[in-house]
């Protein structure tokens, strides 16, 4: 660096001009920096939920002397600041667009060489041979039932379906698919989650169902277990195992073979597998499409002795492009097949009351999300994951009622099920409050429910939290 002082007026003038240019050039930078700094601390601009990541964002920590003393308070502020930055969803869009311009940065392989790639071995499913508050009250005619209070709960013998001798048709079975590993698997133009069988968590599901079914039977309530397969149902077992995934079909067989005779299993696995070449699962999301939910509905009707309404009787509604939870977690989202949110308009005259954690409101069973953000269109079904929704079918005589205990897969399923009952109670066991509303049996007896359907994703069965929530509601 030149540290010599200017010797002439000309050199001094040139030095002053250089410094002035530097100052002028730094003004825009510091102005933008200061503006971003100010915006970052405007609380109303900071999001509380991530639609793309399907989770609640880190809340601002509650102050306490103990958290201040051990450093947790300031660590919590740091996590809150980084996790809830204003416009984070738009920034994720930009990040994904930039990533999409690159080639694959992760492992890319073809199935015919997958055996040479080291993957973590998945836990195989054992073979079947091994091994004090008020509920929402009945409202008088013309009056709306009171909303439940704020939830204190945080945001599947002889009837067992047999595995067919011929394997179910698989969408990916030619050994030539291009595969990339990221947070999820990207196979050609579709994304999938890594399915890992967890026996201990699966056994929680089985134990909860087996403990509940005698209670339901004693009270004249029919109890159905409608397990929802993951999108890996579209991939042949021999190829999914090469990717380190457990067998979805073996997990189904394990669960259904251990449930007692009081549980009616719904064979959704094979109902869907027969339609694997159809648009039953999204390319960029873990959910099934409304068409996939329809085939599950047909499976339920067969188990329950009902006559399903033909798909051709429903009006198809295309709400446009949809981007799901996998879109932002695969190596190259630009290669994913574009998804569309297609729904089927209910035939009957339906109305729904939603009992939220802090409010009660009317909401359509199927909402129009045509102009919604591309990541929010799955909210067309029931408006999202509601703790409790009461759907009334004014086209069906009073007297028939059903309770659907579900996760997010059950939302489009509820649209079809509501065609067969005067009242359908829809409960999301992950956000429903048993403290406020009572257990499933309490609620069913209070409201005269005749059928209870448990619809849980096979992937959530393997998780650590969902089985606990399920056990709480079925105890």
């Amino acid at each position: 660096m030149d540290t010599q002082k200017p010797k002439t007026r000309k050199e001094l003038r040139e030095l002053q001009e250089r410094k002035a240019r530097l100052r002028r050039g730094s003004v825009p930078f510091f102005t933008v920096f200061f503006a971003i700094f100010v915006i970052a601390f405007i609380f109303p601009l900071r999001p509380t939920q991530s639609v793309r990541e399907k989770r609640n964002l880190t809340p601002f920590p509650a102050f306490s002397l103990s958290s201040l003393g051990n450093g947790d308070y300031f660590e919590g502020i740091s996590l809150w600041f980084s996790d809830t930055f204003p416009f984070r969803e738009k920034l994720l869009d930009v990040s994904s667009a930039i990533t999409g311009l690159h080639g694959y940065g992760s492992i890319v392989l073809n199935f015919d060489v997958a055996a040479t790639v080291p993957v973590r071995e998945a836990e195989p499913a054992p073979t079947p041979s091994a091994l004090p508050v008020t509920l929402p009250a009945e409202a008088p005619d013309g009056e709306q039932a009171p909303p439940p209070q704020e939830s204190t709960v945080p945001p599947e013998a002889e009837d067992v379906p047999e595995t067919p001798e011929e394997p179910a048709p698989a969408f990916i079975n030619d050994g030539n698919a291009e595969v990339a590993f990221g947070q999820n698997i990207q196979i050609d133009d579709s994304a999938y989650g890594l399915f890992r069988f967890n026996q201990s968590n699966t056994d929680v599901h089985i134990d909860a169902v087996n403990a509940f079914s005698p209670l339901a039977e004693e009270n004249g309530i029919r109890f159905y277990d409608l397990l929802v397969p993951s999108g890996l149902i579209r991939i042949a077992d021999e190829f999914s195992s090469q990717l380190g995934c457990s067998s979805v079909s073996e997990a189904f067989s394990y669960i259904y073979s251990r449930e007692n005779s009081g549980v009616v299993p719904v064979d959704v696995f094979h109902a869907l597998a027969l339609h694997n070449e159809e648009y039953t699962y999204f390319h960029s999301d873990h959910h099934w499409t409304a068409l996939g939910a329809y085939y599950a509905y047909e499976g339920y009707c067969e188990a329950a002795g009902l006559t399903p309404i033909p798909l051709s009787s429903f009006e198809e509604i295309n709400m446009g492009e949809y981007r799901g939870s996998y879109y932002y977690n695969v190596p190259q989202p630009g290669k994913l097949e574009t998804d569309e949110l297609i729904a089927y308009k209910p035939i009957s005259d339906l109305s729904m009351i939603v009992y939220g954690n802090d409010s009660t409101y009317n909401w359509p069973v199927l909402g129009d999300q045509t102009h919604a953000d591309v990541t929010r269109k799955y909210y067309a079904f029931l408006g999202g994951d509601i703790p409790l929704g009461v759907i009334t079918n004014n086209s069906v005589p009073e007297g028939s009622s059903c309770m659907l205990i579900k996760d997010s897969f059950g939302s489009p399923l509820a649209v079809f099920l509501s065609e067969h009952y005067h009242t359908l109670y829809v409960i999301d066991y992950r956000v429903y409050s048993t403290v406020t509303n009572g257990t499933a049996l309490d609620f069913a007896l209070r409201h005269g429910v005749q059928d209870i359907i448990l619809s849980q994703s096979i992937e959530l069965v393997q998780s650590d939290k969902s089985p606990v929530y399920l056990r709480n509601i079925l105890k």
Side-chain angles (χ1 to χ4, degrees):
M1 179 182 293
D2 186 7
T3 58
Q4 292 183 347
K5 295 182 179 180
K7 297 178 180 179
T8 65
R9 290 184 177 181
K10 180 180 180 180
E11 290 178 349
L12 178 61
R13 186 166 57 252
E14 290 175 349
L15 177 61
Q16 291 174 338
E17 289 177 354
R18 284 199 299 271
K19 289 182 178 180
R21 284 196 298 270
L22 288 173
R23 285 196 296 269
R24 288 194 298 271
S26 65
V27 169
F29 171 80
F30 284 105
T31 300
V32 172
F33 179 83
F34 181 74
I36 294 175
F37 180 81
V38 172
I39 291 173
F41 280 94
I42 299 177
F43 274 66
L45 293 180
R46 304 191 74 94
T48 58
Q49 291 183 321
S50 173
V51 176
R52 289 159 175 78
E53 298 171 273
K54 307 295 190 290
R55 68 180 179 89
N56 293 323
L57 301 177
T58 303
F60 192 86
F63 176 81
S64 69
L65 292 177
S66 61
S67 65
L68 180 65
N70 60 25
D72 288 346
Y73 181 68
F74 290 108
E75 182 178 351
I77 292 178
S78 178
L79 289 173
W80 164 82
F81 185 86
S82 61
D83 201 34
T84 63
F85 199 84
F87 314 115
R88 71 185 306 277
E89 305 283 76
K90 296 298 181 184
L91 294 174
L92 284 174
D93 278 341
V94 174
S95 175
S96 294
I98 294 174
T99 300
L101 298 175
H102 300 164
Y104 283 117
S106 302
I107 302 172
V108 181
L109 61 148
N110 289 330
F111 271 123
D112 54 0
V113 297
T116 66
V117 179
V119 293
R120 182 166 69 86
E121 186 174 348
E123 179 183 356
T127 59
S129 57
L131 312 181
V133 281
T134 305
L135 304 179
E138 295 287 355
D141 291 342
E143 295 185 19
Q144 183 168 290
Q149 301 302 310
E150 185 172 357
S151 172
T152 59
V153 180
E156 291 172 331
E158 291 182 351
D159 294 329
V160 176
E162 298 291 340
T163 302
E165 294 182 5
E166 293 294 326
F171 186 73
I172 302 293
N173 59 12
D174 59 6
N176 295 314
E178 185 179 52
V179 182
F181 290 95
Q183 296 182 43
N184 300 102
I185 312 170
Q186 184 167 352
I187 304 177
D188 286 336
D189 60 2
S190 298
Y192 302 87
L194 286 164
F195 177 68
R196 308 288 195 188
F197 179 80
N198 184 306
Q199 183 171 349
S200 59
N201 289 342
T202 301
D203 286 343
V204 172
H205 173 98
I206 296 170
D207 293 343
V209 166
N210 284 340
F212 181 79
S213 63
L215 301 176
E217 193 171 18
E218 289 172 7
N219 290 279
I221 300 173
R222 294 177 292 270
F223 181 46
Y224 300 86
D225 193 8
L226 190 156
L227 278 172
V228 179
S230 75
L232 285 175
I233 192 176
R234 302 171 71 240
I235 301 173
D237 270 359
E238 62 266 30
F239 298 129
S240 63
S241 66
Q242 292 174 22
L243 300 174
C245 294
S246 302
S247 168
V248 177
S249 61
E250 289 178 6
F252 267 70
S253 296
Y254 176 74
I255 294 174
Y256 281 148
S257 68
R258 281 161 174 72
E259 292 181 344
N260 61 39
S261 59
V263 183
V264 182
V266 180
D267 186 8
V268 173
F269 183 92
H270 296 114
L272 279 167
L274 294 174
H275 299 275
N276 261 339
E277 294 190 3
E278 299 178 39
Y279 190 37
T280 53
Y281 283 85
F282 292 109
H283 302 285
S284 67
D285 194 31
H286 61 290
H287 291 112
W288 56 16
T289 63
L291 180 61
Y294 175 80
Y295 291 131
Y297 152 75
E298 282 190 322
Y300 170 73
C301 287
E302 181 178 355
L306 300 173
T307 301
I309 298 173
L311 185 64
S312 58
S313 299
F314 294 93
E315 178 187 347
E316 182 179 299
I317 303 173
N318 190 328
M319 301 187 191
E321 182 182 356
Y322 170 63
R323 293 182 187 175
S325 59
Y326 291 158
Y327 188 88
Y328 301 92
N329 293 300
V330 292
Q332 196 164 13
K335 283 193 174 182
L336 295 176
E337 180 77 15
T338 301
D339 281 314
E340 293 179 321
L341 198 293
I342 297 173
Y344 298 92
K345 185 178 179 180
I347 297 173
S348 301
D349 177 16
L350 304 179
S351 61
M352 181 173 69
I353 298 176
V354 174
Y355 296 89
N357 290 332
D358 52 10
S359 62
T360 300
Y361 52 91
N362 295 309
W363 199 259
V365 174
L366 180 66
D368 184 5
Q369 294 288 308
T370 302
H371 302 294
D373 185 276
V374 291
T375 64
R376 301 180 65 89
K377 294 194 176 182
Y378 197 76
Y379 288 0
F381 309 110
L382 309 186
D385 297 331
I386 55 178
L388 170 62
V390 181
I391 301 175
T392 301
N393 186 336
N394 299 302
S395 303
V396 173
E398 294 183 11
S400 60
S401 61
C402 177
M403 175 191 294
L404 174 63
I405 303 172
K406 69 165 195 75
D407 52 33
S408 54
F409 280 83
S411 295
L413 179 63
V415 179
F416 297 113
L417 293 175
S418 60
E419 298 285 354
H420 294 271
Y421 298 93
H422 178 73
T423 308
L424 179 66
Y425 300 98
V426 182
I427 290 174
D428 190 317
Y429 66 91
R430 301 164 301 170
V431 289
Y432 171 87
S433 173
T434 55
V435 174
T436 301
N437 301 316
T439 65
L441 186 63
D442 293 333
F443 192 98
L445 294 178
R446 186 179 184 90
H447 295 279
V449 170
Q450 300 155 346
D451 297 329
I452 295 179
I453 306 169
L454 171 61
S455 177
Q456 189 179 18
S457 163
I458 191 69
E459 292 179 290
L460 286 184
V461 172
Q462 316 309 312
S463 69
D464 292 329
K465 291 183 178 180
S466 291
V468 177
Y469 297 158
L470 182 66
R471 185 169 53 193
N472 288 339
I473 196 172
L474 292 184
K475 64 184 178 181

